[in-house]
Amino acid sequence: MFINAKTHPLRRAALGLSLLVAPVLAWAQNAIQSINSSQQSGAEVVRIELSQPLAAVPSGFTIQSPPRIAIDLPGVTNAMGRSSIELNQGNLRSASVAQAGERTRLVLNLKQASNYTAQLQGKTLLLVLENGGVAAAQSGTQAKSEQPVHFAESMNRNQLALKDVDFRRGQDNAGRVVVELPNNQVGVDIRQQGQSLVVEFLRSTLPENLRRRLDVTDFGTPVQTVTTSQSGDRVRMVVEPRGNWEHSAYQTDTQFVLEVRPQKQDPNKLVQGPGFQGEKLSLNFQNIEVRALLQVIADFTNFNVVTSDTVAGNVTLRLKDVPWDQALDIILQAKGLGMRKSGNVLWIAPKDEIATKEKLDLEAKQQVTQLEPLRTQSFQLNYTKAEEVTKGLLGQTGGISNAKPMLTPRGSVIFEARTNQIFVTDIPSKLEEVQQLISKIDIPVRQVMIEARIVEANDNFGRQLGVRLGSADLRGIRGGTPGWGVGSGDSRVAVTGTYMGVGEQTVQAEKTGGSYVPNTYFVNLPAQAVSGTNPASFALSLFSSSANRFLNLELSALEADRKGKVVSSPRVITADQVKALIEQGTELPYQVATSSGATSIAWRKANLKLEVTPQITPEGNIILDVDINKDSVGQTTPAGLAINTKHVQTQVLIENGGTVVIGGIFEQEERDEESKVPLLGDVPVLGHLFKTKGRVADKTELLVFLTPRVISDRTAVR
């Protein structure tokens, strides 16, 4: 398949323009123009056409599963207009181009893992895939190349220190070496040296506390030890696996992970590995007996072959450069034969004969089981209750439908709660199965400490400005006629005021002999209290002693600013997948009616509560089912005290030791208030004597934080 960006009409027009402005665009970035593949001498050749020649052969690496080849092209962009190309030729499936920053990664997706060689021819980068489909990283029993694989090119100028080196157990008993890099520009080389894997971090240093040898045998993975040391200007890590294994490596930002997995073994497979991996042979026979042909293959492979007497017939075949295990499979399929492998001995017979023999063997084993003498064995349990294990062996586990007993029909089990033991009576082979089961379930449950932080922040601001205005005419008690004359005669108008909503003439009100309390307000709009604080006031009186008249002015003002923060931090420790509850607060009584008409006292809680159920995932993260309440006593109502509630219930996934905000409530209240005398309050300037103004700005914020931590033997709970 061939894709050429140069043949596009817009590309041809741009090519003519580029000839005119070439001196200006000489500094333009290099780009991929096209990708095509072909076959030369039985090998796949991938041609990457670039706009400018590369300075050096780019680095890359291979991946075993899924089979891929990745090439990093620094300073190169994608000018093809698409990021994926279907090749579908030979061992090639497709090619993908991904760009990140100033680096472009070309990924070749293969059908089978294969090595490659890279070379430059002018502006073209050639990738030649080797035949045979052999991955760069094979198992420890096969031949391996000790040439280093450049996993990542070094982009750092100075030596930087690694942050951490850790080991974890992954899925399917895989060993994972996790390295925290100082940045994502650290160069990494990987090679296989003998039975060990050597990883080198270029231009890096190793702190003294990380220069150590980790013995990870107890993790049950192929990795036995991990030794990290300083070697010149690079950090050298030696990983020593055991048995048959395969490895892969990947990097996410600043985290580099090397994973070593046990190679899956098929006991019926002649040659381990994907597909057919046997040595190639050529066969050309005309009408040859099947028994003789099987003997030829046995001589070629050095396997011991036992052929059933019922195997007969002739076959004609012509095979050239075919793996011997594939050739044997073709012969067996053509003649309806089956095969069973035991060590290096192959038993070949018709499929019906093999099935009949296996059925007879199973029936014989079942009869032996029914006649085999029973044996009783006791099992001491440390962490699991004996009663629960007994129910599981008898098929009485709750929540599982159609559960069947694990013991034979002749077997029995009893438990002793005081010493936490079970006593199983059954055949020896079944006792071994029970022993293996108990070793897997009777283990300490990991514990999790969950810490919640509930933060309530309040910011309240209030401002009030008011006025009282009044006058008094004392001539009524000191001689003369009160009020002001209107028209002719004795018509008079008296000034009156209000106090607490009750009208009263603005004169002295006699209280007792010799004392009085003046009430002269006819404009009574004082500033109101804010948050329980009364406003300050300033009073001014103008009077005329000869006319016995008074004018009173009282200004009141208050500005209040309150800020507060309440932090509640409940924490609790519980086992994996076990609900935990912690609460603190007050129980309030209230009356409820009964069916007989009488009343009784009930209680309601106003408390801080944390209810959580953790679940530790295989990757080490934590899933939390959380229910948090933050209640407080509210205002008093005719029916009793109200309760202010704050409640959040959710499920969240958090990394071990991480912190997440699971919820928040933000309230903001802004209010401007104004009370005035109609008409008079609208008069410019003087209107301020006939009105009161206020401003309120309240902010309330609630945030809930969660931090879970897995408790281990080395973890100190503080």
Side-chain angles (χ1 to χ4, degrees):
M1 184 175 182
F2 182 76
I3 296 176
N4 195 344
K6 294 180 179 179
T7 60
H8 195 278
L10 295 179
R11 181 65 64 184
R12 291 198 298 267
L15 181 60
L17 181 61
S18 63
L19 296 177
L20 299 177
V21 296
V24 180
L25 301 180
W27 51 271
Q29 195 172 22
N30 198 358
I32 299 176
Q33 300 292 333
S34 64
I35 299 175
N36 61 80
S37 64
S38 62
Q39 286 190 342
Q40 298 180 5
S41 302
E44 286 81 14
V45 179
V46 181
R47 298 176 60 89
I48 299 98
E49 301 287 346
L50 304 169
S51 60
Q52 299 177 18
L54 294 176
V57 176
S59 61
F61 59 94
T62 60
I63 300 177
Q64 174 79 8
S65 179
R68 291 176 180 173
I69 295 177
I71 305 295
D72 287 333
L73 303 172
V76 176
T77 60
N78 182 11
M80 297 187 300
R82 57 190 300 186
S83 59
S84 180
I85 301 172
E86 294 294 333
L87 298 175
N88 292 326
Q89 181 176 358
N91 194 28
L92 291 169
R93 293 183 183 272
S94 62
S96 302
V97 180
Q99 185 172 353
E102 298 181 353
R103 182 177 62 176
T104 296
R105 173 165 290 183
L106 171 64
V107 179
L108 300 179
N109 300 307
L110 310 178
K111 298 177 181 178
Q112 293 184 358
S114 174
N115 289 329
Y116 75 96
T117 57
Q119 57 183 340
L120 296 176
Q121 290 185 0
K123 298 181 181 180
T124 304
L125 172 63
L126 296 180
L127 301 179
V128 181
L129 276 62
E130 298 180 0
N131 288 327
V134 182
Q138 299 275 344
S139 65
T141 59
Q142 298 177 354
K144 311 173 183 68
S145 173
E146 296 189 0
Q147 295 297 325
V149 176
H150 300 289
F151 178 83
E153 195 70 22
S154 178
M155 305 294 289
N156 293 325
R157 295 184 178 180
N158 301 322
Q159 288 183 270
L160 300 177
L162 301 184
K163 294 183 179 180
D164 191 22
V165 177
D166 196 8
F167 183 85
R168 301 174 185 174
R169 176 173 173 169
Q171 296 182 350
D172 299 329
N173 299 330
R176 303 175 63 199
V177 183
V178 182
V179 181
E180 292 292 338
L181 306 176
N183 57 32
N184 57 3
Q185 305 294 328
V186 177
V188 182
D189 286 350
I190 305 175
R191 71 174 184 271
Q192 191 166 336
Q193 185 174 342
Q195 296 295 327
S196 304
L197 277 174
V198 179
V199 184
E200 292 184 339
F201 302 92
L202 310 180
R203 296 178 185 173
S204 302
T205 60
L206 189 66
E208 289 294 337
N209 61 322
L210 298 180
R211 300 184 181 184
R212 58 193 178 187
R213 181 176 182 268
L214 300 178
D215 187 350
V216 295
T217 307
D218 295 339
F219 281 81
T221 70
V223 181
Q224 302 300 300
T225 60
V226 179
T227 305
T228 313
S229 60
Q230 186 74 42
S231 178
D233 63 344
R234 59 184 62 187
V235 175
R236 180 185 175 93
M237 175 186 295
V238 180
V239 180
E240 298 181 0
R242 181 183 62 182
N244 296 330
W245 49 270
E246 57 187 8
H247 76 277
S248 63
Y250 60 90
Q251 181 176 341
T252 305
D253 197 14
T254 60
Q255 188 180 76
F256 172 81
V257 179
L258 175 66
E259 187 171 272
V260 181
R261 302 176 300 275
Q263 192 178 48
K264 295 182 179 179
Q265 300 289 334
D266 187 355
N268 293 321
K269 193 173 180 62
L270 299 177
V271 180
Q272 300 298 329
F276 297 102
Q277 300 291 331
E279 186 178 353
K280 294 183 179 180
L281 54 76
S282 297
L283 299 174
N284 189 355
F285 293 102
Q286 296 289 332
N287 200 24
I288 185 176
E289 291 186 1
V290 175
R291 303 173 66 89
L293 182 58
L294 295 177
Q295 185 62 40
V296 171
I297 296 179
D299 294 339
F300 180 81
T301 61
N302 292 326
F303 266 95
N304 299 315
V305 177
V306 178
T307 306
S308 174
D309 295 338
T310 56
V311 175
N314 298 339
V315 65
T316 299
L317 77 163
R318 182 180 183 275
L319 302 176
K320 183 177 181 181
D321 293 335
V322 176
W324 72 264
D325 49 345
Q326 184 179 8
L328 179 59
D329 183 70
I330 293 173
I331 297 170
L332 298 180
Q333 294 293 336
K335 303 303 292 184
L337 302 177
M339 178 192 66
R340 291 297 181 266
K341 177 186 174 185
S342 177
N344 66 339
V345 178
L346 303 180
W347 175 49
I348 298 176
K351 292 182 179 180
D352 295 341
E353 182 179 340
I354 293 178
T356 302
K357 182 179 182 305
E358 290 180 347
K359 180 180 179 181
L360 294 175
D361 291 342
L362 293 176
E363 292 176 351
K365 289 182 179 179
Q366 185 176 5
Q367 293 177 359
V368 170
T369 302
Q370 296 175 356
L371 300 175
E372 190 175 3
L374 301 180
R375 195 179 70 183
T376 301
Q377 183 175 347
S378 64
F379 298 93
Q380 177 69 57
L381 303 178
N382 299 317
Y383 306 100
T384 308
K385 292 184 179 180
E387 183 179 0
E388 297 297 328
V389 176
T390 301
K391 291 180 179 180
L393 295 177
L394 296 177
Q396 301 174 0
T397 304
I400 301 179
S401 60
N402 299 325
K404 296 183 180 180
M406 296 187 61
L407 304 179
T408 63
R410 302 167 58 204
S412 63
V413 56
I414 60 174
F415 70 91
E416 208 286 318
R418 185 177 59 86
T419 59
N420 202 36
Q421 294 185 79
I422 63 173
F423 300 88
V424 183
T425 301
D426 213 325
I427 61 176
S429 60
K430 187 61 65 173
L431 293 178
E432 293 180 1
E433 294 180 9
V434 174
Q435 177 68 52
Q436 294 177 359
L437 173 66
I438 292 178
S439 65
K440 293 181 179 180
I441 65 175
D442 188 31
I443 58 177
V445 179
R446 289 185 293 179
Q447 300 183 89
V448 182
M449 181 179 70
I450 302 99
E451 178 181 0
R453 287 185 179 271
I454 307 171
V455 182
E456 298 177 86
N458 299 312
D459 187 355
N460 302 326
F461 174 79
R463 178 185 294 165
Q464 292 285 335
L465 179 63
V467 63
R468 282 177 174 174
L469 182 63
S471 65
D473 189 347
L474 304 181
R475 288 180 297 173
I477 62 175
R478 294 185 179 180
T481 303
W484 284 263
V486 178
S488 60
D490 294 333
S491 299
R492 297 273 176 172
V493 175
V495 180
T496 60
T498 59
Y499 183 69
M500 297 297 290
V502 179
E504 181 180 301
Q505 186 178 353
T506 58
V507 297
Q508 295 187 131
E510 295 283 347
K511 185 177 182 181
T512 58
S515 66
Y516 55 88
V517 177
N519 182 6
T520 65
Y521 304 126
F522 58 83
V523 177
N524 185 25
L525 297 173
Q528 303 298 320
V530 177
S531 301
T533 304
N534 295 321
S537 62
F538 174 76
L540 178 65
S541 298
L542 300 177
F543 66 93
S544 173
S545 59
S546 60
N548 290 320
R549 294 187 181 97
F550 292 85
L551 180 63
N552 298 327
L553 175 64
E554 179 181 341
L555 300 177
S556 56
L558 174 64
E559 183 174 308
D561 191 4
R562 297 192 308 165
K563 294 182 179 180
K565 182 173 67 173
V566 179
V567 179
S568 306
S569 181
R571 62 181 67 182
V572 65
I573 296 178
T574 182
D576 184 21
Q577 302 187 31
V578 177
K579 180 185 293 187
L581 173 65
I582 183 172
E583 60 180 348
Q584 177 189 13
T586 305
E587 289 195 4
L588 303 176
Y590 63 96
Q591 292 184 348
V592 296
T594 62
S595 59
S596 62
T599 59
S600 62
I601 300 297
W603 301 85
R604 183 180 177 185
K605 295 181 179 180
N607 58 359
L608 170 65
K609 183 185 74 171
L610 170 62
E611 183 177 319
V612 60
T613 303
Q615 177 184 346
I616 305 175
T617 65
E619 295 83 4
N621 299 326
I622 303 172
I623 299 175
L624 297 179
D625 288 321
V626 186
D627 190 355
I628 298 178
N629 278 85
K630 179 65 173 66
D631 301 339
S632 60
V633 180
Q635 61 184 359
T636 302
T637 66
L641 293 174
I643 296 178
N644 301 326
T645 63
K646 301 178 180 66
H647 182 208
V648 59
Q649 182 176 3
T650 183
Q651 184 183 83
V652 62
L653 173 64
I654 315 175
E655 64 179 0
N656 182 22
T659 301
V660 66
V661 181
I662 65 171
I665 300 175
F666 178 76
E667 297 180 89
Q668 182 175 0
E669 179 184 0
E670 294 185 359
R671 186 174 66 251
D672 291 325
E673 301 172 343
E674 183 178 87
S675 302
K676 62 183 178 181
V677 178
L679 299 179
L680 295 178
D682 297 329
V683 177
V685 182
L686 293 179
H688 292 288
L689 299 176
F690 299 94
K691 62 184 176 181
T692 179
K693 298 180 67 176
R695 176 177 173 79
V696 177
D698 295 339
K699 295 180 182 179
T700 303
E701 188 171 8
L702 172 68
L703 294 175
V704 181
F705 300 85
L706 273 183
T707 303
R709 294 184 179 87
V710 178
I711 305 299
S712 61
D713 296 339
R714 297 175 296 177
T715 303
V717 180
R718 295 176 294 177

